[in-house]
Amino acid sequence: MVVMKFGGTSVGSALRMKEVSRIVDTGEQVLVVLSAVSGTTNSLVEINDAFSSGDKKKGISLIEKLEEKYHQLVNELYNSDSYKTAGTEIIRVHFDLLRSFAENGFTQKQAFEILAQGELISTQLFYQLLLEEGKKAALLNALDFMRIDEEGEPQMDYLREHIKPLLEKNKETFLITQGFICRNPKGEIANLRRGGSDYSASLIGAAINVSEIQIWTDIDGMHNNDPRIVNDTYPIRNLSFDEAAELAYFGAKILHPSSVNPARTAGIPVRLKNTMQPEAEGTLISAISDRDTIKAVAAKDKITAIRIVSNRMLLAYGFLRKVFEVFERYKTPIDMISTSEVAVSITIDNDQFLDGILTELKEIANVEIDYDLTIICVVGDNLLEHSGFGAKIFESLKEVPVRMVSFGGSKNNVSLLIHSSEKVRALNMLHAGLFKKELA
Ligand code: ASP
Ligand code: MG
């Protein structure tokens, strides 16, 4: 069996949903994981914001605007009146529920329930479409098998145990389920965080040991550079799990960063495909990848750098532990690190607890801070030992001031920290230096 996950734009209109129905029709049993229709989760976030700030009127008007979009979708999606009626009924049930939240006092629990409606609606509408087309389909409720623990980590054992019986019971060719949504340890509705449908697909694929996990989006695979910023980028045909994980984390928005892990652990290849161009090869992420090559460049913005300088660090041990403990206390992950004998520079992308972190760091050292930085990450195979790669990277970037470098942390990644105002220039220079064939 194959898992096929479709993102919001892939199910963003009646036309697109019908295309998905054709794509999943491969002659084999498939498990289809769907996101919410594009724009829906963002609207649900706005509705939440309105309700939580007490602005019921705004909340209701946002709900009505969104509902209108769905009525149009239902009208275009189905041919027969009976399916149009069924679709309209699905919309009514979910939008009545959304409206009911305006009345009962608004809590965090309800916020999660609101966010879940997008996937609950898209999967039901798609299920009805397959039925109208005469396909043998079944709808599985992700809330019956997806669960996170207290830390927000998905529970693989629970997933395996609870999805197996469902697969034994439902032998239909097309099995459909929701991405993104799950339950928390109390059994309440929760989610795998924004963009989490990819993660759902990977977790499910790993749990039932499929032959391939396919992530269908609106771009033809992971590109070797940011196509919005650089001309002549191209999709990378093969990536190793490690390379893909680095790229997904560092800005290649096409794949949720956590979603590589379950697939890697289970040894299941992940294929990135384009719904708009189904015949395009896309990108295959697997244990196999081209050796000794630079594959791609990616960038991650909104980075803050902290330089921690202390004479006490000189010839001392235990200093770094004290530094790291501060970040641990504030549950703030560190991205890049670089050290000298008297200073250590660290970057973070989540500055929610920055004030607390700085206050504590100042008790043990002098602290300098820089905002508006971008990490440029060069990804490939064997970047360290292959002589000349380092020189090539720095040569390409020679006009761009580099604030920090991380080389040697992984064989698959060289990271450079620059000011965000230099990003466009840096990505283009690296593109010219690393990927353009030299002119004869
Ligand atoms: N619908 C959710 C979101 O927009 C999950 C996903 O699409 O991956 O974040
Ligand atoms: Mg996505």
Side-chain angles (χ1 to χ4, degrees):
M1 181 152 58
V2 170
V3 166
M4 297 172 118
K5 179 260 164 175
F6 294 86
T9 25
S10 300
V11 291
S13 66
L15 203 70
R16 303 261 36 104
M17 275 206 194
K18 288 180 194 174
E19 180 60 25
V20 170
S21 162
R22 272 190 293 277
I23 291 171
V24 298
D25 199 350
T26 62
E28 277 177 53
Q29 194 187 29
V30 290
L31 205 162
V32 183
V33 178
L34 298 185
S35 289
V37 168
S38 56
T40 300
T41 312
N42 284 344
S43 296
L44 296 172
V45 169
E46 282 180 48
I47 291 165
N48 269 343
D49 290 346
F51 283 160
S52 72
S53 67
D55 195 344
K56 282 185 193 170
K57 222 173 113 196
K58 185 171 175 204
I60 294 288
S61 110
L62 287 166
I63 289 172
E64 247 125 59
K65 236 170 66 195
L66 187 63
E67 187 177 18
E68 184 47 42
K69 262 176 58 179
Y70 276 96
H71 281 302
Q72 266 178 11
L73 175 64
V74 162
N75 243 326
E76 293 166 17
L77 191 57
Y78 307 110
N79 286 327
S80 67
D81 283 345
S82 63
Y83 278 92
K84 282 187 196 203
T85 308
T88 306
E89 181 58 14
I90 292 167
I91 307 293
R92 191 191 62 74
V93 168
H94 289 273
F95 280 83
D96 279 354
L97 180 72
L98 285 175
R99 267 184 287 270
S100 76
F101 291 124
E103 298 316 320
N104 326 321
F106 186 79
T107 64
Q108 189 54 41
K109 181 170 166 265
Q110 290 168 337
F112 280 116
E113 283 176 38
I114 289 180
L115 288 184
Q117 300 310 308
E119 275 71 12
L120 290 170
I121 297 173
S122 67
T123 43
Q124 287 182 73
L125 294 182
F126 184 69
Y127 170 59
Q128 294 295 331
L129 173 68
L130 296 193
L131 293 187
E132 185 178 31
E133 292 174 343
K135 291 177 170 149
K136 295 218 174 336
L139 185 56
L140 311 184
N141 190 345
L143 298 176
D144 291 339
F145 50 81
M146 275 298 204
R147 212 170 75 159
I148 48 172
D149 62 16
E150 304 283 353
E151 302 289 313
E153 287 302 314
Q155 298 200 287
M156 257 328 235
D157 289 340
Y158 185 93
L159 167 55
R160 259 186 228 108
E161 203 181 303
H162 287 78
I163 199 170
K164 287 248 163 79
L166 294 176
L167 296 182
E168 275 153 27
K169 210 168 79 193
N170 295 286
K171 295 293 178 199
E172 287 83 355
T173 313
F174 305 97
L175 303 178
I176 305 160
T177 194
Q178 304 83 17
F180 180 57
I181 62 173
C182 61
R183 290 192 188 275
N184 67 16
K186 288 191 213 145
E188 297 161 351
I189 294 184
N191 63 56
L192 300 177
R193 301 201 194 96
R194 292 305 306 272
S197 291
D198 298 346
Y199 197 18
S200 302
S202 181
L203 290 161
I204 294 170
I208 61 177
N209 200 19
V210 292
S211 56
E212 189 168 289
I213 296 159
Q214 298 181 355
I215 308 286
W216 290 77
T217 63
D218 52 1
I219 177 167
D220 50 352
M222 248 194 228
H223 276 228
N224 67 328
N225 204 330
D226 190 334
R228 293 163 304 183
I229 294 179
V230 177
N231 291 328
D232 310 324
T233 64
Y234 51 81
I236 313 159
R237 292 279 163 259
N238 287 287
L239 279 174
S240 69
F241 288 116
D242 291 327
E243 291 166 342
E246 302 270 11
L247 276 179
Y249 177 70
F250 285 101
K253 290 271 164 345
I254 177 166
L255 185 66
H256 186 280
S258 308
S259 55
V260 178
N261 252 332
R264 182 209 329 240
T265 310
I268 300 171
V270 178
R271 196 182 289 276
L272 308 179
K273 295 276 286 177
N274 184 358
T275 328
M276 316 285 169
Q277 237 184 302
E279 61 299 328
E281 238 180 282
T283 298
L284 183 65
I285 303 164
S286 69
I288 307 150
S289 140
D290 303 328
R291 306 304 306 271
D292 297 317
T293 42
I294 295 179
K295 303 282 170 45
V297 174
K300 190 172 171 70
D301 294 327
K302 297 205 172 66
I303 301 291
T304 302
I306 306 164
R307 184 180 284 125
I308 302 147
V309 186
S310 169
N311 283 330
R312 273 185 283 165
M313 193 172 155
L314 195 65
L315 300 176
Y317 53 83
F319 182 76
L320 283 180
R321 177 173 54 77
K322 287 200 193 105
V323 169
F324 290 150
E325 275 171 356
V326 174
F327 289 87
E328 195 180 337
R329 273 198 289 284
Y330 289 94
K331 292 197 159 94
T332 298
I334 294 168
D335 288 331
M336 280 176 77
I337 300 179
S338 125
T339 65
S340 82
E341 199 45 62
V342 290
V344 49
S345 277
I346 272 168
T347 71
I348 56 173
D349 72 351
N350 174 357
D351 53 13
Q352 193 187 354
F353 303 115
L354 189 59
D355 290 345
I357 291 172
L358 292 180
T359 308
E360 290 199 28
L361 286 176
K362 281 178 186 159
E363 286 167 18
I364 54 172
N366 293 322
V367 179
E368 295 160 23
I369 180 147
D370 286 325
Y371 301 96
D372 301 322
L373 302 172
T374 292
I375 296 178
I376 303 278
C377 149
V378 180
V379 168
D381 176 71
N382 205 13
L383 294 186
L384 296 185
E385 281 141 38
H386 191 98
S387 62
F389 280 169
K392 222 168 158 184
I393 293 166
F394 283 105
E395 176 68 20
S396 312
L397 273 182
K398 64 180 174 234
E399 284 158 34
V400 177
V402 176
R403 157 83 168 73
M404 197 172 147
V405 179
S406 178
F407 189 88
S410 123
K411 288 186 175 187
N412 301 109
N413 166 2
V414 175
S415 294
L416 306 126
L417 189 67
I418 60 169
H419 199 270
S420 298
S421 60
E422 296 280 1
K423 171 173 127 174
V424 171
R425 197 154 73 113
L427 287 180
N428 277 288
M429 291 178 84
L430 281 167
H431 200 67
L434 302 179
F435 302 118
K436 286 261 164 74
K437 298 265 175 300
E438 273 164 44
L439 298 174

